[in-house]
Amino acid sequence: MANKRPGGGRSTSRQAAKFLGVSVLSGAVLAGIALPAAGALGLVAKGSVEGFDEIPANLKRPPLSQKTSILDSEGGLIATVYSRDRTVVPLKDISPHMRKAIVAIEDERFYEHGAIDLKGILRALNKNAQSGEVSEGASTLTQQYVKNVFVEEAGNDEKKFEAATQQTLGRKIQELKYAIQVEEELGKKKILENYLNITYFSQQAYGVEAAAKRYFSKSAKDLELQEAALLAGIVQSPSRWDPVVNGDQALKRRNLVLDRMAEQGHVGKDEAAEAKKKDLGLDVSKPQNGCITAVNGAGFFCDYVRKVFLGSEEFGKTREERNKRWNEGGMTIRTTLDPKAQKSVQASVKEHVYQSDEVAAAVSLVEPGTGKILGMGQSRPYGLAKDETTINYSVNKSMGGGMGYQPGSTYKPIVAAAALERGVNPSRSYPSPYEMTYPSPVPKCEGQWSSANPPKVANENESEVGPYGMREATAKSVNTYYVQLISDIGICPVVEMSEKMGIEPAGGDELKQVPSVTLGVQEMSPLTMAAGYAAFASRGTYCTPVAIESIKDANGKSLDVPKSKCTRAMNERTADTMNTLLKGVVEDGTGTQAGLSGRPSAGKTGTTDSRYAAWFVGYTPNLAGAVWVGDPQHQRKMIDITIGGDYHPKVFGGGVPGPIWRDAMAGALEGKEAPGFVEVPIADPPKKDDKEKDEDDRKPRDRFPGGGNGGLIGGGGDGGAEPNPTFSIPEGFIQGPGNGSGGRR
């Protein structure tokens, strides 16, 4: 305690030492500025200060992070995303009041000195010596700009940010040398412009344009005198003089700026006095950042666009490069989203499925022949509150979705297309009894699937007894017909057709080569199904889904964007035949409630095992769409349930998803041409006398009776009873050994 005075103060000798140390260090800085060669003397403090001449001469100025605008196909704003809310503007678009105010309060001799204000340093030396510590800096606007460059470069890296803001002699010397370079290269006007665009104004606002919008809901070019003075007063201590949080302090600070402006002749004394009489005049705009602010329920599509960007090598070879570019922002991203189609999707979902319902719905619309995603929405909004989610039910897991949902009988058309491609005549009939044992063995791409104890499979009703041809079997979704069909052609052609149509499991696994593939028990996403069915609509051409039309960077330069890859999935004759078959589904089959008025349409219903999910996937020649309804957790059976205010004893694919699809498509296609399909004559095989059908037979049906078996007995249809306890499923029949029954997660 020898160095302490009574009462805890420093001794006289301690104060003198401190005074001497501060003076010497400050003098060294001054010497290094005035005479760069003095750096050779080794200005070092505990190894933290480099020699002045050893500091790199070139200041790398990273692009300023700005907000990115995500637009729909017509140029309407979907959402604004940013890591820092900033819009860079030229000096001419910044109010003269603002330019004068910032100079007055931050660097009154800005236009008179060079990179360093020697008078300011001497003044700081004097004050620091008197206080015994470094209590005042002498940073010019140029030096402050350099410091902000370091902060900008640090981004969200805490260690880099700490290094950029630490108060050390070494950092000060580095700033000073770079300031000399900046003054030589840029000149005063450009330095002032850069400073006003880079500096932080609190309330998440970076740069004067964002600050003007945040506090006054106007552009920087329109700032009035008192408004400019308020903003200029914030930058020295953004938290202390934040006018939203500390109004009284901000008002005093603003008036101080006005006084300084009057003293320095930037404004008249009377004008300044008049401005001081006004209140803060805030008109605060809340930050609108991120996909959560997207319009028309497009938050999920917005997030999909972000994931497409981060996953595309067009925007950087590595994930790190793409992340950096996204965070820098400043881009204008025009997407494929059709605003009319999107509004129609959301209106239909909202009408038929409530946000608070036990189950959810998701819709995806895709343009045949281009792969453009025109609409994407769901009943649970994008967010973190109750009955909200950030999981995009429309897409695969890798793109922000879940593990997908069993598509049930909506997968049967892929089996039919595979058969047609192998030369199977659509008039081919099968006995299609009400109930049968699943044939075994069934050929795979390599080897064969076989079961020593194959289970039985049944149709929806006992009255559904063949023989059936492909047309009637598809319209009624006859399970035993499709079981025999895949047994004849084998599993491999179906897997290959699925790949050609881009239909893949949502979780990222390969499609398993098991007989139950015909029953739609392997989980898919709505976007996958919509894009796959679009291949039928475009007469056999499959196009990968795309969400981005074009991107311009902060300088207006166009960037390369991912393009849809279109390939032939099947020949035109096959596609035309499928269109004829699926047109019959909506005309007199299980999908009549989905039929569009005034334009040809086609599609397929599907309801999965125990009604955990129900689907309708359909299309016109110029638009394809998929609708899924169900419990994302695979826990709530859609039996004895109310959805969208309507009670359903049992949910069918044509009964709930069908009308959602109909209304979404009708609104999206309103005012557009209504082309027809190229149809193929399909003869039905001769049948025995039809049996009398009961009332239940008129209900939509495309599933087996059954449940709890992973979809073999109940996975491929659209109606039916509870599981038949006499049925048993051998291990490996549904998804292969070790995968359980139905692969449900």
Side-chain angles (χ1 to χ4, degrees):
M1 305 297 291
N3 290 330
K4 290 281 187 179
R5 283 183 179 178
R10 290 192 181 94
S11 66
T12 303
S13 60
R14 180 79 173 183
Q15 283 185 309
K18 182 68 176 177
F19 170 84
L20 180 61
V22 171
S23 299
V24 169
L25 287 177
S26 300
V29 174
L30 180 57
I33 296 164
L35 300 170
L41 297 176
L43 298 175
V44 180
K46 295 183 180 179
S48 65
V49 183
E50 297 178 38
F52 190 83
D53 289 340
E54 295 174 5
I55 298 174
N58 295 317
L59 172 67
K60 295 181 180 179
R61 296 187 291 276
L64 296 183
S65 58
Q66 301 184 63
K67 64 182 180 181
T68 287
S69 297
I70 300 178
L71 313 178
D72 61 33
S73 61
E74 295 183 358
L77 183 66
I78 296 174
T80 300
V81 297
Y82 52 80
S83 59
R84 290 183 176 175
D85 185 8
R86 177 189 282 120
T87 301
V88 175
V89 292
L91 195 62
K92 67 180 181 62
D93 288 337
I94 300 174
S95 165
H97 293 308
M98 187 68 215
R99 302 179 221 165
K100 295 173 182 177
I102 202 71
V103 169
I105 195 64
E106 290 296 320
D107 188 359
E108 63 180 86
R109 299 184 64 254
F110 175 65
Y111 293 104
E112 300 170 23
H113 59 65
I116 294 89
D117 184 3
L118 296 181
K119 288 185 178 179
I121 290 176
L122 291 173
R123 182 182 67 250
L125 281 173
N126 181 50
K127 284 198 173 184
N128 292 340
Q130 290 178 2
S131 65
E133 57 186 18
V134 181
S135 60
E136 180 175 321
S139 294
T140 62
L141 276 180
T142 307
Q143 290 169 258
Q144 292 181 46
Y145 166 64
V146 169
K147 177 181 177 180
N148 275 301
V149 169
F150 294 149
V151 171
E152 183 72 20
E153 188 176 24
N156 297 323
D157 189 312
E158 292 184 6
K159 290 184 178 179
K160 287 185 178 180
F161 178 80
E162 184 179 347
T165 56
Q166 62 183 341
Q167 295 294 324
T168 66
L169 181 59
R171 188 190 61 77
K172 275 293 182 184
I173 292 176
Q174 189 179 42
E175 284 181 11
L176 294 176
K177 185 164 186 178
Y178 284 141
I180 295 171
Q181 172 204 339
V182 168
E183 284 272 352
E184 291 176 349
E185 290 183 357
L186 301 183
K188 294 295 185 180
K189 287 186 178 180
K190 191 64 177 178
I191 291 170
L192 183 59
E193 175 185 299
N194 288 2
Y195 177 82
L196 287 170
N197 278 302
I198 199 173
T199 197
Y200 181 54
F201 288 86
S202 194
Q203 291 291 319
Q204 303 178 38
Y206 289 82
V208 67
E209 179 71 8
K213 291 284 179 66
R214 181 74 72 254
Y215 295 110
F216 302 111
S217 298
K218 62 173 60 175
S219 295
K221 65 182 179 181
D222 299 321
L223 289 170
E224 298 178 17
L225 173 59
Q226 72 279 2
E227 296 168 339
L230 178 68
L231 296 186
I234 293 173
V235 298
Q236 189 180 99
S237 182
S239 59
R240 180 181 177 185
W241 289 309
D242 181 338
V244 175
V245 178
N246 300 312
D248 292 342
Q249 292 293 321
L251 184 63
K252 292 178 182 178
R253 179 69 175 173
R254 182 204 71 177
N255 291 343
L256 173 62
V257 175
L258 290 168
D259 287 338
R260 292 280 183 88
M261 293 179 74
E263 291 169 6
Q264 296 166 30
H266 295 298
V267 295
K269 291 184 178 180
D270 290 343
E271 188 179 2
E274 191 64 29
K276 288 170 65 176
K277 294 178 183 178
K278 298 180 180 180
D279 60 22
L280 292 178
L282 298 179
D283 183 9
V284 178
S285 297
K286 293 183 179 180
Q288 295 292 309
N289 180 27
C291 294
I292 199 169
T293 65
V295 299
N296 297 324
F300 299 99
F301 178 79
C302 169
D303 190 61
Y304 181 82
V305 168
R306 182 181 70 88
K307 285 183 167 60
V308 168
F309 186 98
L310 296 178
S312 302
E313 291 190 359
E314 287 87 347
F315 310 118
K317 293 183 178 180
T318 67
R319 183 85 178 186
E320 183 180 9
E321 289 177 8
R322 298 191 289 270
N323 264 313
K324 183 178 180 182
R325 191 163 199 173
W326 180 265
N327 289 331
E328 286 176 357
M331 297 177 288
T332 300
I333 302 177
R334 187 179 285 255
T335 71
T336 60
L337 197 74
D338 182 295
K340 183 169 71 172
Q342 182 63 21
K343 288 178 182 177
S344 182
V345 164
Q346 284 304 115
S348 181
V349 169
K350 187 176 181 180
E351 172 70 20
H352 294 285
V353 183
Y354 296 161
Q355 178 179 341
S356 58
D357 282 346
E358 294 179 88
V359 295
V363 182
S364 287
L365 302 183
V366 175
E367 185 175 68
T370 67
K372 293 179 180 179
I373 302 170
L374 304 187
M376 181 183 288
Q378 61 192 54
S379 59
R380 293 178 183 169
Y382 188 89
L384 300 173
K386 183 182 179 182
D387 297 325
E388 296 181 343
T389 183
T390 56
I391 297 175
N392 187 346
Y393 299 143
S394 283
V395 302
N396 291 349
K397 181 183 178 182
S398 62
M399 299 303 290
M403 298 301 290
Y405 319 97
Q406 293 178 342
S409 291
T410 62
Y411 193 84
K412 286 178 181 174
I414 289 82
V415 180
L420 294 172
E421 282 287 284
R422 291 181 69 84
V424 173
N425 192 307
S427 296
R428 176 186 289 187
S429 67
Y430 288 102
S432 310
Y434 163 68
E435 182 181 88
M436 63 177 285
T437 299
Y438 207 104
S440 175
V442 182
K444 302 194 302 181
C445 293
E446 294 183 8
Q448 60 186 19
W449 174 90
S450 63
S451 173
N453 184 30
K456 291 183 177 181
V457 62
N459 294 328
E460 170 69 20
N461 298 293
E462 291 186 10
S463 60
E464 288 181 349
V465 177
Y468 288 113
M470 193 176 288
R471 178 204 291 269
E472 191 174 5
T474 302
K476 295 181 176 180
S477 200
V478 178
N479 301 313
T480 56
Y481 179 94
Y482 273 91
V483 163
Q484 293 173 90
L485 181 61
I486 195 172
S487 298
D488 265 7
I489 67 173
I491 301 169
C492 194
V494 176
V495 172
E496 290 174 349
M497 177 57 67
S498 191
E499 291 174 350
K500 290 178 181 179
M501 295 176 67
I503 296 177
E504 59 185 8
D509 298 329
E510 292 185 0
L511 197 67
K512 294 178 176 61
Q513 295 189 38
V514 291
S516 60
V517 69
T518 192
L519 309 177
V521 299
Q522 299 183 49
E523 290 91 344
M524 309 293 176
S525 68
L527 178 59
T528 289
M529 297 302 293
Y533 270 54
F536 296 141
S538 62
R539 303 190 71 195
T541 299
Y542 169 72
C543 296
T544 56
V546 288
I548 300 174
E549 289 265 26
S550 65
I551 298 181
K552 290 186 177 180
D553 66 14
N555 298 315
K557 179 183 176 182
S558 295
L559 306 180
D560 290 334
V561 300
K563 304 293 184 183
S564 178
K565 297 178 181 177
C566 296
T567 55
R568 181 151 291 280
M570 66 196 77
N571 64 55
E572 287 189 353
R573 177 76 177 186
T574 295
D576 293 342
T577 304
M578 290 304 307
N579 295 337
T580 305
L581 292 171
L582 296 178
K583 188 168 179 282
V585 173
V586 298
E587 289 180 344
D588 55 14
T590 60
T592 54
Q593 295 183 67
L596 295 172
S597 176
R599 64 175 69 239
S601 61
K604 187 70 184 75
T605 56
T607 308
T608 66
D609 178 30
S610 296
R611 290 176 168 78
Y612 286 114
W615 292 72
F616 187 85
V617 186
Y619 54 93
T620 66
N622 48 358
L623 186 61
V627 176
W628 159 84
V629 177
D631 178 10
Q633 303 301 319
H634 304 283
Q635 294 178 356
R636 177 60 162 103
K637 297 178 182 180
M638 289 188 290
I639 299 171
D640 188 24
I641 190 171
T642 297
I643 302 174
D646 294 328
Y647 174 74
H648 300 271
K650 295 179 181 179
V651 169
F652 298 94
V656 179
I660 296 174
W661 182 90
R662 178 196 64 213
D663 293 348
M665 292 283 287
L669 290 168
E670 185 178 359
K672 294 186 178 182
E673 61 178 340
F677 295 110
V678 176
E679 296 188 48
V680 174
I682 301 174
D684 287 324
K687 284 182 66 70
K688 299 176 182 179
D689 292 338
D690 288 340
K691 295 182 179 182
E692 192 72 18
K693 296 184 180 295
D694 59 22
E695 183 67 23
D696 188 64
D697 188 35
R698 297 187 181 91
K699 293 181 179 178
R701 49 195 179 274
D702 67 356
R703 76 185 291 279
F704 303 106
N709 52 43
L712 177 64
I713 307 304
D718 194 14
E722 286 302 294
N724 187 328
T726 64
F727 292 168
S728 62
I729 308 300
E731 182 179 2
F733 189 82
I734 301 298
Q735 299 254 351
N739 286 299
S741 62
R744 195 174 299 109
R745 295 167 177 84

